[in-house]
Amino acid sequence: MATSTEPTRTRTPIARVVGASLIGTTVEWYDFFLYGVAASVVFGELFFPKGEELTGTLLSFATFAVGFFARPIGGVVFGHFGDRLGRKNLLVLSLLMMGLATFAIGLLPTYAQVGALAPVLLTVLRLIQGFALGGEWGGAVLIVSEHGDPARRGFWSSWPQAGAPAGQLIANGVLAGLAAFQSDEDFNSWGWRIPFLLSAVLVLVGLWVRLRIEESPLFRQARDKQEPTDKLPFVEVITKYPREVLTAMGARMAENVSYYIFTIVIATYAKEHLKLDKSFALNAVLIGAAIHFCAIPMWGALSDRVGRKPVYLLGAIGVGIWAFVFIALVDTKNFALAALAVTVGLVLHGAMYGPQASFFTELFGTRVRYSGVSVGYKLASIIAGGLAPFIAVALLKAYDSGYAISIYVAACSVISIIAVTSYGETRQRDLATL
């Protein structure tokens, strides 16, 4: 009787759990996206040898991709200990690691100062960022999903997802503000460092909030029942849930690729292909991210009513079609149309990203759920999000047309549509019995 009543007695109010997860994911995504935006507008010039403009950007995006290769490793490590020690402790550790790495990037010497050591240091810190973020997402969505009301799981678990556009909003907002009030010379010299150094303050806030929540009640129940001879969580995920891992990976293709095209690649496309000022893309993404933040919980709530699959498929089909409209609108060089292109693209992306947390959570059993969602989510990040900016810029360089990028997004959408269609609806699953 004591075991069954413990979760109720110590359960943190869901609003506080959601707030802690949202603030923490916002800080971590701020750190991660800040690097992506900086890679598209300034790192190519500062950390690599001088050369043809797009080549420097490609090298910069290569270091961006390195962070994604580290994410599955972080997912496995954090997932293992998260399934053994709990969600809360690992969330605190991931936030601390990410913040320290981001702060250190703001202190790095440039290529002109230390030569080849500059990109090496940048790559090492990017690896630490990726490793930390690999453990962040799974823990953040699980601690909410395992606390909340099952009937509103899609809504509550979508809030940590909203940390992505919130982090993007802050990162783009700070960079756009600096770009507006600084000359290009000052921004490239020292202004770009300010947003990275500000990460220290955001991390302290995130840590304070996260340390005030309780451990997941479902995890505590599963831990009490766990036998010492149980398989390692990662091994059990691979052997018992291979289909679920592949479903999560396939579902992520359109979601992950489209997001980085709409928010990161647009900066390079506008600056180097259309020869527009860097603030053009930054401000367009700023507007889109604000709408995106509001749309994600709405899509999550809708998935509680009609199911995860219909909402997810709407988003996957939508971004595949919109990718062509997106390029056409941005090519006009009209700011209002470019902002519309980004905003609609991100709203459609939210139809996948909103229900994604609950959908993936419902695929795996409690005792290996941290490992399961982390492995499926992060493995896809390598071939989807990590390579998306690099592939997109390479296509732009090869074909000198944004529509090559649109075809790339559409192909990824087909993969996601197949993955989601081939798996059953999960909305009614009871997490406690999985």
Side-chain angles (χ1 to χ4, degrees), residues 241-265:
Y241 299 98
R243 183 186 177 192
E244 285 72 14
V245 170
L246 291 174
T247 297
M249 290 178 64
R252 286 218 73 205
M253 290 300 294
E255 176 268 306
N256 215 203
V257 169
S258 66
Y259 187 77
Y260 287 103
I261 300 302
F262 296 152
T263 61
I264 299 295
V265 174

Side-chain angles (χ1 to χ4, degrees), residues 283-365:
N283 290 330
V285 173
L286 201 62
I287 294 170
I291 305 300
H292 194 211
F293 177 83
C294 299
I296 287 174
M298 293 175 61
W299 288 120
L302 182 62
S303 76
D304 286 328
R305 294 178 174 271
V306 304
R308 318 300 183 211
K309 285 181 65 173
V311 179
Y312 209 107
L313 287 172
L314 174 64
I317 295 169
V319 297
I321 296 172
W322 188 255
F324 295 90
V325 184
F326 175 83
I327 292 297
L329 293 177
V330 174
D331 277 350
T332 65
K333 300 185 181 181
N334 180 286
F335 177 75
L337 293 179
L340 176 66
V342 174
T343 300
V344 174
L346 289 178
V347 168
L348 290 170
H349 170 269
M352 294 179 285
Y353 205 54
Q356 187 181 84
S358 53
F359 177 31
F360 288 8
T361 295
E362 292 156 355
L363 294 176
F364 301 97

Side-chain angles (χ1 to χ4, degrees), residues 75-76 79-80 83 231-246 248-249 363-377 379:
V76 170
H80 171 82
D83 284 327
K231 293 180 180 179
L232 294 175
F234 174 75
V235 174
E236 186 168 344
V237 167
I238 298 302
T239 57
K240 188 176 179 181
Y241 299 98
R243 183 186 177 192
E244 285 72 14
V245 170
L246 291 174
M249 290 178 64
L363 294 176
F364 301 97
T366 301
R367 69 179 184 176
V368 296
R369 189 171 290 133
Y370 203 144
S371 296
V373 298
S374 296
V375 169
Y377 189 89
L379 282 177

Side-chain angles (χ1 to χ4, degrees), residues 49-130:
K50 298 295 182 182
E52 196 270 327
E53 201 168 13
L54 277 179
T55 300
T57 303
L58 280 171
L59 291 172
S60 181
F61 276 146
T63 65
F64 178 76
V66 162
F68 286 84
F69 283 91
R71 285 168 72 175
I73 301 172
V76 170
V77 174
F78 277 84
H80 171 82
F81 289 104
D83 284 327
R84 287 289 188 253
L85 305 177
R87 289 45 167 138
K88 175 184 172 179
N89 293 334
L90 275 296
L91 282 173
V92 170
L93 179 60
S94 69
L95 183 61
L96 187 60
M97 287 181 65
M98 175 67 86
L100 290 175
T102 303
F103 183 81
I105 289 174
L107 300 175
L108 282 181
T110 65
Y111 187 89
Q113 295 170 317
V114 296
L117 182 60
V120 171
L121 293 174
L122 184 67
T123 302
V124 169
L125 292 174
R126 181 61 176 173
L127 282 168
I128 296 173
Q129 277 193 325

